[in-house]
Amino acid sequence: MSAAAVYPRVDTEEPPVLVLPEAVGRDGIPALCDAVRSALERTGARARARVVVCDTGALGPPGLAQVDLLARLELTARRSGGRIRLRAPAPALLALLAAVGLRFQMEGQPEEGEPAPGVEEAVETGDPAL
């Protein structure tokens, strides 16, 4: 029996990373949207890679310009069949995003529909059998 028959193929490729610059003017947003779109196109149909990680560590003080940038990047990703995931967002940026009603996936958090690592569903002893 070959090793391929015993061990399933596992895709260990990490999603592409886009490092966002400290200051982005309105004229710089289309280029970053193009970068997200092309990163998703390069990944093809790999399920795990339908995400582009946006490293926000270098972004300046949070403001509406950063909110606008992230909202446009997410919209571009969704139109291309993917999502963005934030890496290293400042707590103030997270608070501002929450205040305007925007929610993003964060790196290190489980993806939607997946339980957190190490979490098991508990059953109460008095629950009826299904």
Side-chain angles (χ1 to χ4, degrees), residues 15-16 18 20 29-44 46-54 68-86 103-105:
L18 176 64
L20 301 177
I29 293 176
L32 291 171
C33 288
D34 288 342
V36 166
R37 189 178 305 107
S38 66
L40 287 170
E41 288 171 359
R42 280 192 312 270
T43 61
R46 294 187 305 246
R48 181 172 172 86
R50 298 309 301 165
V51 170
V52 175
V53 175
C54 292
D68 182 48
L69 169 65
L70 294 174
R72 289 175 188 269
L73 293 177
E74 177 71 3
L75 180 61
T76 299
R78 285 190 179 220
R79 287 180 175 166
S80 298
R83 307 262 333 226
I84 66 169
R85 183 178 300 149
L86 304 184
R103 293 177 41 165
F104 291 92
Q105 287 183 353

mmCIF file of all heavy atoms in Angstrom, residues 15-16 18 20 29-44 46-54 68-86 103-105:
data_model
loop_
_atom_site.group_PDB
_atom_site.id
_atom_site.type_symbol
_atom_site.label_atom_id
_atom_site.label_comp_id
_atom_site.label_asym_id
_atom_site.label_seq_id
_atom_site.Cartn_x
_atom_site.Cartn_y
_atom_site.Cartn_z
ATOM 1 N N PRO A 15 -2.745 31.354 4.019
ATOM 2 C CA PRO A 15 -3.355 32.360 3.151
ATOM 3 C C PRO A 15 -2.376 33.496 2.867
ATOM 4 O O PRO A 15 -1.457 33.750 3.644
ATOM 5 C CB PRO A 15 -4.554 32.852 3.960
ATOM 6 C CG PRO A 15 -4.340 32.406 5.344
ATOM 7 C CD PRO A 15 -3.396 31.256 5.309
ATOM 8 N N PRO A 16 -2.563 34.191 1.750
ATOM 9 C CA PRO A 16 -1.689 35.310 1.424
ATOM 10 C C PRO A 16 -1.843 36.438 2.446
ATOM 11 O O PRO A 16 -2.905 36.610 3.041
ATOM 12 C CB PRO A 16 -2.153 35.751 0.035
ATOM 13 C CG PRO A 16 -3.511 35.167 -0.139
ATOM 14 C CD PRO A 16 -3.594 33.973 0.749
ATOM 15 N N LEU A 18 -1.364 40.598 3.154
ATOM 16 C CA LEU A 18 -1.225 41.941 2.621
ATOM 17 C C LEU A 18 -0.893 42.859 3.794
ATOM 18 O O LEU A 18 -1.705 43.013 4.711
ATOM 19 C CB LEU A 18 -2.525 42.387 1.946
ATOM 20 C CG LEU A 18 -2.581 43.804 1.407
ATOM 21 C CD1 LEU A 18 -1.568 44.004 0.284
ATOM 22 C CD2 LEU A 18 -3.983 44.127 0.913
ATOM 23 N N LEU A 20 -0.663 46.294 5.306
ATOM 24 C CA LEU A 20 -1.225 47.606 5.025
ATOM 25 C C LEU A 20 -0.253 48.691 5.480
ATOM 26 O O LEU A 20 0.309 48.607 6.571
ATOM 27 C CB LEU A 20 -2.576 47.762 5.735
ATOM 28 C CG LEU A 20 -3.628 46.721 5.342
ATOM 29 C CD1 LEU A 20 -4.890 46.913 6.158
ATOM 30 C CD2 LEU A 20 -3.940 46.796 3.856
ATOM 31 N N ILE A 29 -6.437 53.433 -2.102
ATOM 32 C CA ILE A 29 -7.367 52.335 -1.827
ATOM 33 C C ILE A 29 -7.564 51.416 -3.029
ATOM 34 O O ILE A 29 -7.534 50.191 -2.871
ATOM 35 C CB ILE A 29 -8.708 52.872 -1.275
ATOM 36 C CG1 ILE A 29 -8.477 53.478 0.109
ATOM 37 C CG2 ILE A 29 -9.765 51.775 -1.213
ATOM 38 C CD1 ILE A 29 -9.701 54.135 0.720
ATOM 39 N N PRO A 30 -7.753 51.935 -4.254
ATOM 40 C CA PRO A 30 -7.951 51.017 -5.388
ATOM 41 C C PRO A 30 -6.794 50.037 -5.593
ATOM 42 O O PRO A 30 -7.025 48.872 -5.921
ATOM 43 C CB PRO A 30 -8.107 51.965 -6.590
ATOM 44 C CG PRO A 30 -8.638 53.224 -6.000
ATOM 45 C CD PRO A 30 -7.965 53.330 -4.656
ATOM 46 N N ALA A 31 -5.560 50.481 -5.375
ATOM 47 C CA ALA A 31 -4.413 49.579 -5.538
ATOM 48 C C ALA A 31 -4.452 48.453 -4.500
ATOM 49 O O ALA A 31 -4.141 47.301 -4.815
ATOM 50 C CB ALA A 31 -3.107 50.360 -5.435
ATOM 51 N N LEU A 32 -4.841 48.771 -3.268
ATOM 52 C CA LEU A 32 -4.937 47.732 -2.234
ATOM 53 C C LEU A 32 -6.091 46.780 -2.525
ATOM 54 O O LEU A 32 -5.973 45.567 -2.299
ATOM 55 C CB LEU A 32 -5.073 48.369 -0.854
ATOM 56 C CG LEU A 32 -3.824 49.105 -0.359
ATOM 57 C CD1 LEU A 32 -4.129 49.890 0.908
ATOM 58 C CD2 LEU A 32 -2.686 48.134 -0.129
ATOM 59 N N CYS A 33 -7.196 47.304 -3.043
ATOM 60 C CA CYS A 33 -8.319 46.438 -3.440
ATOM 61 C C CYS A 33 -7.884 45.504 -4.569
ATOM 62 O O CYS A 33 -8.231 44.314 -4.569
ATOM 63 C CB CYS A 33 -9.516 47.278 -3.869
ATOM 64 S SG CYS A 33 -10.352 48.108 -2.498
ATOM 65 N N ASP A 34 -7.114 46.029 -5.532
ATOM 66 C CA ASP A 34 -6.597 45.189 -6.615
ATOM 67 C C ASP A 34 -5.681 44.100 -6.062
ATOM 68 O O ASP A 34 -5.686 42.971 -6.548
ATOM 69 C CB ASP A 34 -5.840 46.033 -7.642
ATOM 70 C CG ASP A 34 -6.770 46.890 -8.484
ATOM 71 O OD1 ASP A 34 -7.987 46.612 -8.526
ATOM 72 O OD2 ASP A 34 -6.269 47.858 -9.104
ATOM 73 N N ALA A 35 -4.888 44.435 -5.044
ATOM 74 C CA ALA A 35 -3.989 43.452 -4.429
ATOM 75 C C ALA A 35 -4.785 42.330 -3.778
ATOM 76 O O ALA A 35 -4.414 41.151 -3.887
ATOM 77 C CB ALA A 35 -3.079 44.133 -3.414
ATOM 78 N N VAL A 36 -5.883 42.666 -3.098
ATOM 79 C CA VAL A 36 -6.741 41.640 -2.480
ATOM 80 C C VAL A 36 -7.362 40.768 -3.566
ATOM 81 O O VAL A 36 -7.353 39.535 -3.470
ATOM 82 C CB VAL A 36 -7.829 42.293 -1.591
ATOM 83 C CG1 VAL A 36 -8.912 41.299 -1.226
ATOM 84 C CG2 VAL A 36 -7.211 42.887 -0.347
ATOM 85 N N ARG A 37 -7.891 41.399 -4.599
ATOM 86 C CA ARG A 37 -8.536 40.656 -5.684
ATOM 87 C C ARG A 37 -7.545 39.703 -6.359
ATOM 88 O O ARG A 37 -7.852 38.532 -6.566
ATOM 89 C CB ARG A 37 -9.107 41.636 -6.715
ATOM 90 C CG ARG A 37 -9.967 41.013 -7.776
ATOM 91 C CD ARG A 37 -10.558 42.034 -8.751
ATOM 92 N NE ARG A 37 -11.304 43.080 -8.073
ATOM 93 C CZ ARG A 37 -10.885 44.350 -7.923
ATOM 94 N NH1 ARG A 37 -9.721 44.727 -8.396
ATOM 95 N NH2 ARG A 37 -11.635 45.235 -7.301
ATOM 96 N N SER A 38 -6.348 40.190 -6.664
ATOM 97 C CA SER A 38 -5.378 39.327 -7.345
ATOM 98 C C SER A 38 -4.876 38.217 -6.428
ATOM 99 O O SER A 38 -4.609 37.106 -6.886
ATOM 100 C CB SER A 38 -4.224 40.149 -7.909
ATOM 101 O OG SER A 38 -3.472 40.736 -6.877
ATOM 102 N N ALA A 39 -4.744 38.488 -5.133
ATOM 103 C CA ALA A 39 -4.336 37.432 -4.194
ATOM 104 C C ALA A 39 -5.370 36.321 -4.158
ATOM 105 O O ALA A 39 -5.023 35.140 -4.130
ATOM 106 C CB ALA A 39 -4.121 38.016 -2.796
ATOM 107 N N LEU A 40 -6.648 36.677 -4.175
ATOM 108 C CA LEU A 40 -7.696 35.658 -4.170
ATOM 109 C C LEU A 40 -7.731 34.898 -5.491
ATOM 110 O O LEU A 40 -7.972 33.694 -5.510
ATOM 111 C CB LEU A 40 -9.053 36.296 -3.874
ATOM 112 C CG LEU A 40 -9.249 36.737 -2.424
ATOM 113 C CD1 LEU A 40 -10.507 37.578 -2.289
ATOM 114 C CD2 LEU A 40 -9.304 35.537 -1.501
ATOM 115 N N GLU A 41 -7.476 35.580 -6.605
ATOM 116 C CA GLU A 41 -7.459 34.914 -7.897
ATOM 117 C C GLU A 41 -6.302 33.926 -7.983
ATOM 118 O O GLU A 41 -6.435 32.847 -8.546
ATOM 119 C CB GLU A 41 -7.369 35.938 -9.028
ATOM 120 C CG GLU A 41 -8.653 36.713 -9.223
ATOM 121 C CD GLU A 41 -8.504 37.881 -10.185
ATOM 122 O OE1 GLU A 41 -7.382 38.126 -10.701
ATOM 123 O OE2 GLU A 41 -9.510 38.569 -10.409
ATOM 124 N N ARG A 42 -5.140 34.285 -7.417
ATOM 125 C CA ARG A 42 -3.972 33.400 -7.450
ATOM 126 C C ARG A 42 -4.192 32.141 -6.624
ATOM 127 O O ARG A 42 -3.619 31.100 -6.922
ATOM 128 C CB ARG A 42 -2.728 34.124 -6.920
ATOM 129 C CG ARG A 42 -2.078 35.031 -7.918
ATOM 130 C CD ARG A 42 -0.708 35.474 -7.444
ATOM 131 N NE ARG A 42 -0.663 35.958 -6.078
ATOM 132 C CZ ARG A 42 -0.850 37.214 -5.702
ATOM 133 N NH1 ARG A 42 -1.100 38.141 -6.601
ATOM 134 N NH2 ARG A 42 -0.773 37.561 -4.440
ATOM 135 N N THR A 43 -4.998 32.241 -5.560
ATOM 136 C CA THR A 43 -5.198 31.078 -4.699
ATOM 137 C C THR A 43 -6.133 30.064 -5.334
ATOM 138 O O THR A 43 -6.162 28.921 -4.901
ATOM 139 C CB THR A 43 -5.756 31.483 -3.325
ATOM 140 O OG1 THR A 43 -7.012 32.122 -3.514
ATOM 141 C CG2 THR A 43 -4.804 32.399 -2.583
ATOM 142 N N GLY A 44 -6.903 30.461 -6.328
ATOM 143 C CA GLY A 44 -7.794 29.523 -6.998
ATOM 144 C C GLY A 44 -8.930 29.092 -6.096
ATOM 145 O O GLY A 44 -9.445 29.871 -5.299
ATOM 146 N N ARG A 46 -8.855 26.764 -3.685
ATOM 147 C CA ARG A 46 -8.506 26.130 -2.407
ATOM 148 C C ARG A 46 -9.339 26.760 -1.296
ATOM 149 O O ARG A 46 -9.307 27.968 -1.077
ATOM 150 C CB ARG A 46 -7.017 26.321 -2.123
ATOM 151 C CG ARG A 46 -6.145 25.581 -3.116
ATOM 152 C CD ARG A 46 -4.710 25.669 -2.696
ATOM 153 N NE ARG A 46 -4.276 27.032 -2.518
ATOM 154 C CZ ARG A 46 -3.370 27.641 -3.267
ATOM 155 N NH1 ARG A 46 -2.809 27.006 -4.259
ATOM 156 N NH2 ARG A 46 -3.005 28.872 -3.024
ATOM 157 N N ALA A 47 -10.078 25.937 -0.591
ATOM 158 C CA ALA A 47 -11.028 26.437 0.414
ATOM 159 C C ALA A 47 -10.341 27.253 1.502
ATOM 160 O O ALA A 47 -10.808 28.310 1.883
ATOM 161 C CB ALA A 47 -11.786 25.271 1.032
ATOM 162 N N ARG A 48 -9.207 26.781 2.020
ATOM 163 C CA ARG A 48 -8.537 27.469 3.117
ATOM 164 C C ARG A 48 -7.982 28.811 2.670
ATOM 165 O O ARG A 48 -7.852 29.736 3.443
ATOM 166 C CB ARG A 48 -7.422 26.585 3.668
ATOM 167 C CG ARG A 48 -6.678 27.190 4.825
ATOM 168 C CD ARG A 48 -5.725 26.163 5.418
ATOM 169 N NE ARG A 48 -4.861 26.747 6.397
ATOM 170 C CZ ARG A 48 -5.148 26.905 7.668
ATOM 171 N NH1 ARG A 48 -6.318 26.503 8.108
ATOM 172 N NH2 ARG A 48 -4.293 27.442 8.499
ATOM 173 N N ALA A 49 -7.655 28.918 1.391
ATOM 174 C CA ALA A 49 -7.006 30.121 0.886
ATOM 175 C C ALA A 49 -8.004 31.156 0.374
ATOM 176 O O ALA A 49 -7.608 32.087 -0.289
ATOM 177 C CB ALA A 49 -6.016 29.745 -0.204
ATOM 178 N N ARG A 50 -9.255 31.020 0.661
ATOM 179 C CA ARG A 50 -10.230 32.027 0.234
ATOM 180 C C ARG A 50 -10.212 33.206 1.193
ATOM 181 O O ARG A 50 -11.167 33.941 1.302
ATOM 182 C CB ARG A 50 -11.630 31.429 0.138
ATOM 183 C CG ARG A 50 -11.788 30.311 -0.877
ATOM 184 C CD ARG A 50 -11.290 30.622 -2.267
ATOM 185 N NE ARG A 50 -11.967 31.779 -2.833
ATOM 186 C CZ ARG A 50 -11.535 32.432 -3.901
ATOM 187 N NH1 ARG A 50 -10.441 32.079 -4.506
ATOM 188 N NH2 ARG A 50 -12.196 33.469 -4.364
ATOM 189 N N VAL A 51 -9.091 33.360 1.871
ATOM 190 C CA VAL A 51 -8.919 34.435 2.837
ATOM 191 C C VAL A 51 -7.619 35.159 2.520
ATOM 192 O O VAL A 51 -6.625 34.525 2.172
ATOM 193 C CB VAL A 51 -8.854 33.874 4.277
ATOM 194 C CG1 VAL A 51 -8.425 34.930 5.274
ATOM 195 C CG2 VAL A 51 -10.190 33.292 4.683
ATOM 196 N N VAL A 52 -7.641 36.472 2.636
ATOM 197 C CA VAL A 52 -6.421 37.274 2.570
ATOM 198 C C VAL A 52 -6.241 37.890 3.953
ATOM 199 O O VAL A 52 -7.149 38.540 4.476
ATOM 200 C CB VAL A 52 -6.510 38.379 1.498
ATOM 201 C CG1 VAL A 52 -5.284 39.277 1.542
ATOM 202 C CG2 VAL A 52 -6.677 37.776 0.115
ATOM 203 N N VAL A 53 -5.084 37.650 4.550
ATOM 204 C CA VAL A 53 -4.785 38.224 5.859
ATOM 205 C C VAL A 53 -4.274 39.638 5.640
ATOM 206 O O VAL A 53 -3.343 39.855 4.868
ATOM 207 C CB VAL A 53 -3.728 37.374 6.605
ATOM 208 C CG1 VAL A 53 -3.337 38.048 7.910
ATOM 209 C CG2 VAL A 53 -4.259 35.976 6.863
ATOM 210 N N CYS A 54 -4.906 40.606 6.300
ATOM 211 C CA CYS A 54 -4.487 42.002 6.224
ATOM 212 C C CYS A 54 -3.786 42.364 7.529
ATOM 213 O O CYS A 54 -4.419 42.427 8.584
ATOM 214 C CB CYS A 54 -5.677 42.926 5.993
ATOM 215 S SG CYS A 54 -6.421 42.711 4.364
ATOM 216 N N ASP A 68 -12.955 52.938 6.489
ATOM 217 C CA ASP A 68 -13.315 52.948 5.073
ATOM 218 C C ASP A 68 -12.438 51.978 4.289
ATOM 219 O O ASP A 68 -12.931 51.186 3.478
ATOM 220 C CB ASP A 68 -13.184 54.364 4.513
ATOM 221 C CG ASP A 68 -13.594 54.457 3.055
ATOM 222 O OD1 ASP A 68 -14.679 53.938 2.702
ATOM 223 O OD2 ASP A 68 -12.834 55.053 2.263
ATOM 224 N N LEU A 69 -11.128 52.002 4.544
ATOM 225 C CA LEU A 69 -10.200 51.104 3.866
ATOM 226 C C LEU A 69 -10.570 49.642 4.113
ATOM 227 O O LEU A 69 -10.700 48.851 3.171
ATOM 228 C CB LEU A 69 -8.772 51.366 4.332
ATOM 229 C CG LEU A 69 -7.728 50.333 3.899
ATOM 230 C CD1 LEU A 69 -7.557 50.334 2.395
ATOM 231 C CD2 LEU A 69 -6.413 50.577 4.612
ATOM 232 N N LEU A 70 -10.749 49.261 5.373
ATOM 233 C CA LEU A 70 -11.051 47.869 5.700
ATOM 234 C C LEU A 70 -12.402 47.429 5.139
ATOM 235 O O LEU A 70 -12.550 46.298 4.669
ATOM 236 C CB LEU A 70 -10.982 47.654 7.208
ATOM 237 C CG LEU A 70 -9.579 47.815 7.810
ATOM 238 C CD1 LEU A 70 -9.642 47.733 9.328
ATOM 239 C CD2 LEU A 70 -8.617 46.790 7.241
ATOM 240 N N ALA A 71 -13.393 48.324 5.169
ATOM 241 C CA ALA A 71 -14.708 47.995 4.609
ATOM 242 C C ALA A 71 -14.606 47.755 3.105
ATOM 243 O O ALA A 71 -15.201 46.817 2.567
ATOM 244 C CB ALA A 71 -15.703 49.107 4.912
ATOM 245 N N ARG A 72 -13.819 48.575 2.417
ATOM 246 C CA ARG A 72 -13.659 48.398 0.966
ATOM 247 C C ARG A 72 -12.885 47.132 0.634
ATOM 248 O O ARG A 72 -13.194 46.436 -0.340
ATOM 249 C CB ARG A 72 -12.982 49.621 0.363
ATOM 250 C CG ARG A 72 -13.889 50.834 0.339
ATOM 251 C CD ARG A 72 -13.147 52.071 -0.166
ATOM 252 N NE ARG A 72 -13.942 53.257 -0.017
ATOM 253 C CZ ARG A 72 -14.773 53.720 -0.955
ATOM 254 N NH1 ARG A 72 -14.912 53.072 -2.085
ATOM 255 N NH2 ARG A 72 -15.447 54.827 -0.742
ATOM 256 N N LEU A 73 -11.864 46.817 1.447
ATOM 257 C CA LEU A 73 -11.113 45.585 1.222
ATOM 258 C C LEU A 73 -12.005 44.362 1.424
ATOM 259 O O LEU A 73 -11.942 43.394 0.661
ATOM 260 C CB LEU A 73 -9.888 45.522 2.133
ATOM 261 C CG LEU A 73 -8.787 46.552 1.854
ATOM 262 C CD1 LEU A 73 -7.670 46.415 2.884
ATOM 263 C CD2 LEU A 73 -8.259 46.445 0.448
ATOM 264 N N GLU A 74 -12.834 44.386 2.459
ATOM 265 C CA GLU A 74 -13.758 43.271 2.718
ATOM 266 C C GLU A 74 -14.764 43.139 1.586
ATOM 267 O O GLU A 74 -15.065 42.026 1.127
ATOM 268 C CB GLU A 74 -14.474 43.464 4.059
ATOM 269 C CG GLU A 74 -15.502 42.408 4.378
ATOM 270 C CD GLU A 74 -14.926 41.034 4.713
ATOM 271 O OE1 GLU A 74 -13.702 40.873 4.770
ATOM 272 O OE2 GLU A 74 -15.732 40.107 4.911
ATOM 273 N N LEU A 75 -15.299 44.252 1.107
ATOM 274 C CA LEU A 75 -16.262 44.220 0.001
ATOM 275 C C LEU A 75 -15.616 43.646 -1.258
ATOM 276 O O LEU A 75 -16.207 42.805 -1.947
ATOM 277 C CB LEU A 75 -16.810 45.622 -0.262
ATOM 278 C CG LEU A 75 -17.826 45.746 -1.390
ATOM 279 C CD1 LEU A 75 -19.056 44.905 -1.099
ATOM 280 C CD2 LEU A 75 -18.210 47.204 -1.580
ATOM 281 N N THR A 76 -14.398 44.068 -1.542
ATOM 282 C CA THR A 76 -13.681 43.539 -2.698
ATOM 283 C C THR A 76 -13.466 42.040 -2.562
ATOM 284 O O THR A 76 -13.669 41.278 -3.515
ATOM 285 C CB THR A 76 -12.323 44.256 -2.854
ATOM 286 O OG1 THR A 76 -12.562 45.649 -3.057
ATOM 287 C CG2 THR A 76 -11.527 43.698 -4.010
ATOM 288 N N ALA A 77 -13.053 41.601 -1.374
ATOM 289 C CA ALA A 77 -12.819 40.177 -1.144
ATOM 290 C C ALA A 77 -14.106 39.384 -1.308
ATOM 291 O O ALA A 77 -14.117 38.317 -1.936
ATOM 292 C CB ALA A 77 -12.228 39.962 0.246
ATOM 293 N N ARG A 78 -15.197 39.871 -0.768
ATOM 294 C CA ARG A 78 -16.472 39.148 -0.877
ATOM 295 C C ARG A 78 -16.932 39.054 -2.328
ATOM 296 O O ARG A 78 -17.461 38.032 -2.748
ATOM 297 C CB ARG A 78 -17.531 39.805 -0.016
ATOM 298 C CG ARG A 78 -17.310 39.506 1.441
ATOM 299 C CD ARG A 78 -18.484 39.959 2.259
ATOM 300 N NE ARG A 78 -18.255 39.628 3.638
ATOM 301 C CZ ARG A 78 -19.197 39.176 4.434
ATOM 302 N NH1 ARG A 78 -20.424 39.018 3.995
ATOM 303 N NH2 ARG A 78 -18.925 38.892 5.684
ATOM 304 N N ARG A 79 -16.742 40.144 -3.085
ATOM 305 C CA ARG A 79 -17.116 40.111 -4.499
ATOM 306 C C ARG A 79 -16.266 39.116 -5.279
ATOM 307 O O ARG A 79 -16.673 38.654 -6.337
ATOM 308 C CB ARG A 79 -16.997 41.505 -5.110
ATOM 309 C CG ARG A 79 -18.098 42.432 -4.658
ATOM 310 C CD ARG A 79 -17.947 43.791 -5.265
ATOM 311 N NE ARG A 79 -19.076 44.646 -4.910
ATOM 312 C CZ ARG A 79 -19.102 45.952 -5.078
ATOM 313 N NH1 ARG A 79 -18.052 46.578 -5.593
ATOM 314 N NH2 ARG A 79 -20.157 46.644 -4.731
ATOM 315 N N SER A 80 -15.084 38.821 -4.779
ATOM 316 C CA SER A 80 -14.184 37.859 -5.416
ATOM 317 C C SER A 80 -14.327 36.465 -4.815
ATOM 318 O O SER A 80 -13.514 35.582 -5.090
ATOM 319 C CB SER A 80 -12.730 38.327 -5.276
ATOM 320 O OG SER A 80 -12.558 39.563 -5.924
ATOM 321 N N GLY A 81 -15.306 36.271 -3.935
ATOM 322 C CA GLY A 81 -15.566 34.965 -3.353
ATOM 323 C C GLY A 81 -14.736 34.647 -2.125
ATOM 324 O O GLY A 81 -14.585 33.484 -1.775
ATOM 325 N N GLY A 82 -14.194 35.648 -1.462
ATOM 326 C CA GLY A 82 -13.370 35.405 -0.283
ATOM 327 C C GLY A 82 -13.692 36.340 0.858
ATOM 328 O O GLY A 82 -14.774 36.927 0.900
ATOM 329 N N ARG A 83 -12.749 36.458 1.774
ATOM 330 C CA ARG A 83 -12.880 37.328 2.951
ATOM 331 C C ARG A 83 -11.504 37.873 3.283
ATOM 332 O O ARG A 83 -10.507 37.363 2.823
ATOM 333 C CB ARG A 83 -13.373 36.538 4.172
ATOM 334 C CG ARG A 83 -14.607 35.730 4.018
ATOM 335 C CD ARG A 83 -15.876 36.303 4.491
ATOM 336 N NE ARG A 83 -15.824 37.263 5.550
ATOM 337 C CZ ARG A 83 -16.612 37.258 6.598
ATOM 338 N NH1 ARG A 83 -17.453 36.289 6.766
ATOM 339 N NH2 ARG A 83 -16.556 38.211 7.481
ATOM 340 N N ILE A 84 -11.484 38.881 4.144
ATOM 341 C CA ILE A 84 -10.213 39.307 4.707
ATOM 342 C C ILE A 84 -10.216 38.933 6.181
ATOM 343 O O ILE A 84 -11.273 38.798 6.808
ATOM 344 C CB ILE A 84 -9.914 40.813 4.518
ATOM 345 C CG1 ILE A 84 -10.887 41.686 5.304
ATOM 346 C CG2 ILE A 84 -9.873 41.186 3.056
ATOM 347 C CD1 ILE A 84 -10.487 43.157 5.360
ATOM 348 N N ARG A 85 -9.033 38.734 6.710
ATOM 349 C CA ARG A 85 -8.858 38.441 8.130
ATOM 350 C C ARG A 85 -7.813 39.421 8.647
ATOM 351 O O ARG A 85 -6.789 39.618 8.009
ATOM 352 C CB ARG A 85 -8.379 37.001 8.309
ATOM 353 C CG ARG A 85 -8.241 36.584 9.753
ATOM 354 C CD ARG A 85 -7.809 35.144 9.881
ATOM 355 N NE ARG A 85 -8.792 34.270 9.244
ATOM 356 C CZ ARG A 85 -8.484 33.112 8.666
ATOM 357 N NH1 ARG A 85 -7.250 32.681 8.633
ATOM 358 N NH2 ARG A 85 -9.422 32.379 8.121
ATOM 359 N N LEU A 86 -8.085 40.049 9.777
ATOM 360 C CA LEU A 86 -7.180 41.058 10.316
ATOM 361 C C LEU A 86 -6.108 40.433 11.188
ATOM 362 O O LEU A 86 -6.384 39.563 12.013
ATOM 363 C CB LEU A 86 -7.952 42.100 11.122
ATOM 364 C CG LEU A 86 -9.083 42.830 10.387
ATOM 365 C CD1 LEU A 86 -9.688 43.889 11.289
ATOM 366 C CD2 LEU A 86 -8.608 43.429 9.085
ATOM 367 N N ARG A 103 -17.822 43.897 11.538
ATOM 368 C CA ARG A 103 -17.184 42.752 12.198
ATOM 369 C C ARG A 103 -16.273 42.066 11.202
ATOM 370 O O ARG A 103 -16.657 41.845 10.061
ATOM 371 C CB ARG A 103 -18.244 41.780 12.690
ATOM 372 C CG ARG A 103 -19.093 42.364 13.798
ATOM 373 C CD ARG A 103 -20.168 41.428 14.227
ATOM 374 N NE ARG A 103 -19.652 40.055 14.296
ATOM 375 C CZ ARG A 103 -20.266 39.074 14.906
ATOM 376 N NH1 ARG A 103 -21.411 39.288 15.476
ATOM 377 N NH2 ARG A 103 -19.747 37.866 14.931
ATOM 378 N N PHE A 104 -15.087 41.743 11.634
ATOM 379 C CA PHE A 104 -14.109 41.071 10.791
ATOM 380 C C PHE A 104 -13.595 39.836 11.499
ATOM 381 O O PHE A 104 -13.568 39.785 12.730
ATOM 382 C CB PHE A 104 -12.915 41.996 10.495
ATOM 383 C CG PHE A 104 -13.258 43.157 9.612
ATOM 384 C CD1 PHE A 104 -13.646 44.368 10.152
ATOM 385 C CD2 PHE A 104 -13.184 43.037 8.232
ATOM 386 C CE1 PHE A 104 -13.957 45.441 9.342
ATOM 387 C CE2 PHE A 104 -13.495 44.105 7.415
ATOM 388 C CZ PHE A 104 -13.879 45.318 7.969
ATOM 389 N N GLN A 105 -13.131 38.869 10.718
ATOM 390 C CA GLN A 105 -12.426 37.737 11.298
ATOM 391 C C GLN A 105 -11.061 38.244 11.760
ATOM 392 O O GLN A 105 -10.466 39.096 11.128
ATOM 393 C CB GLN A 105 -12.196 36.639 10.256
ATOM 394 C CG GLN A 105 -13.411 35.874 9.892
ATOM 395 C CD GLN A 105 -13.076 34.753 8.906
ATOM 396 O OE1 GLN A 105 -11.958 34.645 8.415
ATOM 397 N NE2 GLN A 105 -14.057 33.937 8.611
#
